[in-house]
Amino acid sequence: MHLKEQIFSEKYEKIKIEGYHDYTEIINSEFIDSNFSEATFQGLDLDNVEILRSNLSNLQLTSHSYQNTNFKDCTLVGINFTDSYLENVTFTNCNLLYANFTNTNIKNVEFINCNIKDGSFNHVKWKNLKYTSCDITGCEFLQTPLNNLDLTSSIITNIKVNINNLKGLIVSYDQAITIALLLGIKIK
């Protein structure tokens, strides 16, 4: 299926979106059990969209806007949000392995019970970013300030950070050992 340039207040179930899309704007719509993985979007803006149990793996969703959008039980392996703007977006029970959020502006975004292993959050500007019960093993947070970011309920093994951006990061006592080891501190 090829999407129209503008979609407003529609509900799609079990569709396969294919082909090249120059620019698509989706507002007040819902996608359930759908497959986007064979589509290419030059531009995609989402506002007030629900995406449930769908496959968006390897999509290049760069330099666009995603607002008031919920992804639930979705597969987003290798998705690329580089240079995008995300506001009021929630990812719940999603597989975001290798997801790329480099140079993204994030406001009021929450990841709940997600696998985000080996993801990239480099050069991210954020306000009110939450990770709740996520696995962020191996994620990169290079050149991203982590002040007041609470990672206490998430797995943070082998995350990559800049030492000067650690100030104010909130971790549990057990996670503090992981951070100390990242800094090269030897613990006896």
Side-chain angles (χ1 to χ4, degrees), residues 30-47:
E30 191 173 8
F31 292 86
I32 301 169
D33 298 316
S34 297
N35 187 346
F36 293 76
S37 68
E38 294 186 27
T40 302
F41 292 91
Q42 180 62 33
L44 177 67
D45 288 344
L46 304 177
D47 190 2

Side-chain angles (χ1 to χ4, degrees), residues 95-99 114-121 131 133-141 151 153-161 175 178 182:
N95 184 358
L96 290 130
L97 183 70
Y98 307 118
C114 291
N115 172 12
I116 319 172
K117 288 180 184 177
D118 297 312
S120 177
F121 293 87
Y131 296 91
S133 300
C134 293
D135 187 345
I136 58 172
T137 298
C139 278
E140 294 182 351
F141 294 91
L151 299 178
S153 70
S154 294
I155 300 168
I156 64 168
T157 307
N158 295 323
I159 62 170
K160 295 159 188 71
V161 297
Q175 291 172 323
T178 299
L182 287 173

Side-chain angles (χ1 to χ4, degrees), residues 98-112:
Y98 307 118
N100 189 350
F101 292 87
T102 298
N103 290 324
T104 300
N105 288 307
I106 293 175
K107 183 177 179 184
N108 301 324
V109 171
E110 185 169 12
F111 297 91
I112 303 166

Side-chain angles (χ1 to χ4, degrees), residues 136-149:
I136 58 172
T137 298
C139 278
E140 294 182 351
F141 294 91
L142 303 175
Q143 303 303 318
T144 298
L146 302 176
N147 190 36
N148 291 319
L149 181 62

Side-chain angles (χ1 to χ4, degrees), residues 5-178:
E5 279 186 26
Q6 188 172 46
I7 296 171
F8 185 77
S9 295
E10 297 204 29
K11 182 176 181 178
Y12 296 96
E13 290 191 59
K14 298 182 180 179
I15 62 166
K16 184 174 185 178
I17 297 129
E18 301 175 300
Y20 177 82
H21 301 265
D22 187 36
Y23 174 76
T24 303
E25 181 179 36
I26 303 172
I27 302 169
N28 298 327
S29 295
E30 191 173 8
F31 292 86
I32 301 169
D33 298 316
S34 297
N35 187 346
F36 293 76
S37 68
E38 294 186 27
T40 302
F41 292 91
Q42 180 62 33
L44 177 67
D45 288 344
L46 304 177
D47 190 2
N48 199 28
V49 176
E50 297 283 329
I51 302 177
L52 308 172
R53 297 181 309 273
S54 295
N55 184 358
L56 293 88
S57 294
N58 298 312
L59 279 182
Q60 303 297 309
L61 301 178
T62 61
S63 302
H64 287 279
S65 175
Y66 308 94
Q67 299 178 61
N68 308 308
T69 297
N70 295 311
F71 297 90
K72 186 172 182 185
D73 299 316
C74 291
T75 302
L76 300 111
V77 173
I79 196 161
N80 187 354
F81 285 108
T82 299
D83 296 320
S84 292
Y85 177 76
L86 283 75
E87 182 175 4
N88 301 320
V89 176
T90 303
F91 297 88
T92 305
N93 299 322
C94 292
N95 184 358
L96 290 130
L97 183 70
Y98 307 118
N100 189 350
F101 292 87
T102 298
N103 290 324
T104 300
N105 288 307
I106 293 175
K107 183 177 179 184
N108 301 324
V109 171
E110 185 169 12
F111 297 91
I112 303 166
N113 197 36
C114 291
N115 172 12
I116 319 172
K117 288 180 184 177
D118 297 312
S120 177
F121 293 87
N122 298 324
H123 301 275
V124 170
K125 295 176 185 164
W126 63 272
K127 181 177 181 181
N128 197 23
L129 172 61
K130 294 180 183 177
Y131 296 91
T132 305
S133 300
C134 293
D135 187 345
I136 58 172
T137 298
C139 278
E140 294 182 351
F141 294 91
L142 303 175
Q143 303 303 318
T144 298
L146 302 176
N147 190 36
N148 291 319
L149 181 62
D150 187 341
L151 299 178
T152 56
S153 70
S154 294
I155 300 168
I156 64 168
T157 307
N158 295 323
I159 62 170
K160 295 159 188 71
V161 297
N162 298 98
I163 293 172
N164 56 339
N165 289 325
L166 282 174
K167 184 177 181 180
L169 176 65
I170 301 167
V171 295
S172 69
Y173 285 108
D174 292 337
Q175 291 172 323
I177 293 170
T178 299

